[in-house]
């Protein structure tokens, strides 16, 4: 366990430097670290997988920064690519942003990966066993890598250990997602004639702690990433309700007036750059279950 206090921490958040909303989201997708820095010891590992360190994502951002500046001046290539996505699910948009970055890489200029396949279904007879998000060749290591990507939002309750982190739908827990990675999504050792040599989970988004000044949190939580706050009370400072895409990264300016009428949703304080998840206790189980089923990919 380790002590955590947001007031004493400086964060690497270069996505806030861009103007175009889609470019801010792309910069966040690349530069932000995973929600965890290593696998929790409470997790029973069935099929092993790895987590990229925060320093590697910072390196990839720095190598891609020049291209992001170009896209911020002319976002047309990125907008055209994202236009292929008809769904409003944030998880799928996040996956598309990863895909854009992976394939926007002339002569391995920005990163060492070559996309071998995307959304590869594994079928045995009439049964679909699963699907791989990305199969990549890492030209630096000459290894075939399997990546699974997810954008998740979890709120801590209780003692902050792994079983006490809940998603927008309380049936979706952090523990359940990590189990799904190790039991189902990373079960494959081969794709066609190719051996999978490394497996990585790209697990980004936002974790939320109760609205208190300082807490003690598990060591597996990635503290290089700003942690949000959540609560049942309405903050005194002005906050703005975020649109769906702003859950990935808020726009440069508020897209709504300061919140007066509050509902279960994500809010943002532009002065402190602090996200706040407001929750109405009586509605948690029903409203957020419906909201999650409509808009988010598990």
């Amino acid at each position: 366990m380790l002590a955590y206090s947001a007031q004493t921490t400086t964060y690497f958040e270069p996505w806030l430097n861009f103007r175009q909303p889609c470019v801010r989201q792309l910069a966040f997708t690349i530069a932000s670290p995973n929600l965890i820095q290593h696998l929790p010891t409470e997790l029973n590992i069935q099929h092993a997988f790895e987590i990229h360190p925060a320093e590697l994502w910072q390196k990839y951002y720095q190598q891609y920064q020049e291209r992001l500046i170009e896209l911020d001046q002319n976002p047309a290539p990125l907008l055209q690519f994202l236009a292929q996505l008809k769904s409003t699910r944030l998880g799928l948009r996040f996956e598309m942003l990863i895909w854009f970055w992976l394939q926007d890489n002339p002569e391995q200029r920005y990163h060492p990966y070559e996309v071998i396949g995307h959304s590869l279904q594994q079928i045995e007879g009439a049964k679909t066993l699963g699907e791989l998000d990305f199969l990549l060749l890492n030209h630096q290591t000459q290894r075939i890598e399997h990546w699974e990507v997810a954008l998740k939002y979890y709120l801590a309750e209780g003692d902050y250990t792994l079983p006490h982190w809940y998603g927008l739908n309380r049936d979706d827990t952090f523990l359940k997602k990590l189990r799904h990675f190790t039991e189902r999504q990373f079960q494959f050792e081969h794709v066609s004639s190719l051996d999978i040599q490394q497996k990585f989970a790209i697990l980004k988004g936002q974790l939320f702690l109760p609205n208190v000044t300082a807490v003690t949190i598990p060591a597996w939580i990635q503290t290089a990433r700003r942690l949000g706050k959540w609560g049942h009370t309405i903050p005194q400072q002005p906050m703005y309700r975020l649109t769906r895409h702003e859950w990935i990264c808020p726009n440069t300016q508020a897209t709504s007036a300061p919140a007066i009428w509050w509902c279960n949703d994500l809010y943002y304080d532009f002065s402190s750059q602090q996200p706040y998840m407001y929750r109405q206790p009586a509605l948690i189980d029903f409203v957020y279950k419906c909201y999650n089923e409509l808009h988010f990919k598990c």
Side-chain angles (χ1 to χ4, degrees):
M1 304 290 282
L2 55 88
Y4 172 81
S5 177
Q7 282 74 20
T8 60
T9 306
T10 301
Y11 299 99
F12 180 74
E13 299 177 320
W15 47 87
L16 299 176
N17 299 328
F18 298 95
R19 297 179 300 106
Q20 300 288 344
C22 61
V23 178
R24 290 167 70 89
Q25 295 162 27
L26 177 60
F28 169 83
T29 297
I30 301 165
S32 65
N34 285 289
L35 296 179
I36 60 178
Q37 49 189 333
H38 59 77
L39 298 181
T41 55
E42 306 100 298
L43 182 66
N44 181 30
I45 304 298
Q46 183 170 341
H47 300 286
F49 63 97
E50 301 175 59
I51 300 291
H52 294 106
E55 295 77 13
L56 187 64
W57 290 113
Q58 292 185 19
K59 174 185 174 182
Y60 288 156
Y61 165 78
Q62 290 160 356
Q63 293 176 180
Y64 199 62
Q65 184 178 34
E66 180 183 345
R67 175 60 171 155
L68 286 166
I69 293 172
E70 292 177 2
L71 290 168
D72 206 34
Q73 297 169 348
N74 176 23
L78 177 55
L79 289 171
Q80 290 169 6
F81 188 84
L82 292 174
Q84 301 173 73
L85 181 63
K86 305 306 178 184
S87 172
T88 59
R89 287 181 170 179
L90 283 185
L92 293 179
R93 185 176 181 86
F94 176 72
E95 185 176 325
M96 287 290 286
L97 290 165
I98 289 280
W99 192 11
F100 179 88
W101 168 68
L102 285 170
Q103 58 83 39
D104 185 34
N105 189 36
E107 300 178 354
Q108 285 79 54
R109 180 179 177 184
Y110 302 124
H111 57 72
Y113 305 107
E114 176 186 343
V115 179
I116 299 173
H118 171 243
S119 296
L120 298 172
Q121 285 194 339
Q122 298 303 291
I123 299 173
E124 186 177 88
K127 182 179 179 181
T128 299
L129 302 177
E131 182 176 281
L132 286 73
D133 284 346
F134 292 100
L135 191 68
L136 309 172
L137 170 61
N138 185 329
H139 283 275
Q140 196 169 56
T141 64
Q142 294 303 310
R143 292 186 169 214
I144 301 293
E145 299 183 8
H146 169 199
W147 284 17
E148 288 295 319
V149 305
L151 183 73
K152 304 298 288 185
Y153 301 85
Y154 292 112
L155 284 67
E157 297 182 10
D159 60 4
Y160 312 140
T161 55
L162 185 57
H164 294 97
W165 292 81
Y166 295 91
L168 305 182
N169 171 358
R170 288 179 68 85
D171 290 335
D172 172 26
T173 67
F174 210 163
L175 176 58
K176 184 180 290 187
K177 181 58 186 175
L178 291 175
R179 281 177 173 168
H180 189 60
F181 275 140
T182 188
E183 293 173 5
R184 295 293 304 277
Q185 292 182 280
F186 287 114
Q187 64 177 297
F188 305 107
E189 302 297 333
H190 315 277
V191 177
S192 299
S193 60
L194 298 174
D195 293 336
I196 296 174
Q197 296 161 302
Q198 278 189 290
K199 304 172 185 180
F200 290 95
I202 316 302
L203 180 58
K204 303 192 179 187
Q206 185 73 66
L207 297 181
F208 296 87
L209 297 171
N211 192 16
V212 294
T213 303
V215 297
T216 301
I217 59 176
W220 48 263
I221 292 177
Q222 177 57 266
T223 54
R225 173 80 178 101
R226 181 188 299 271
L227 298 180
K229 294 183 177 182
W230 77 272
H232 305 308
T233 59
I234 297 174
Q236 294 183 348
Q237 71 271 28
M239 300 198 82
Y240 302 84
R241 185 180 178 186
L242 297 181
T243 61
R244 186 180 300 119
H245 288 171
E246 287 184 284
W247 283 50
I248 302 177
C249 180
N251 294 349
T252 55
Q253 297 179 337
T255 55
S256 63
I260 299 176
W261 306 105
W262 287 66
C263 61
N264 283 341
D265 216 326
L266 182 58
Y267 295 80
Y268 189 72
D269 177 4
F270 278 87
S271 61
S272 66
Q273 299 171 347
Q274 180 67 40
Y276 180 74
M277 183 74 77
Y278 177 71
R279 306 278 275 185
Q280 297 177 0
L283 298 178
I284 285 177
D285 290 335
F286 175 71
V287 175
Y288 267 89
K289 181 176 182 180
C290 297
Y291 189 86
N292 190 64
E293 289 173 352
L294 286 172
H295 301 301
F296 290 84
K297 177 188 177 185
C298 293

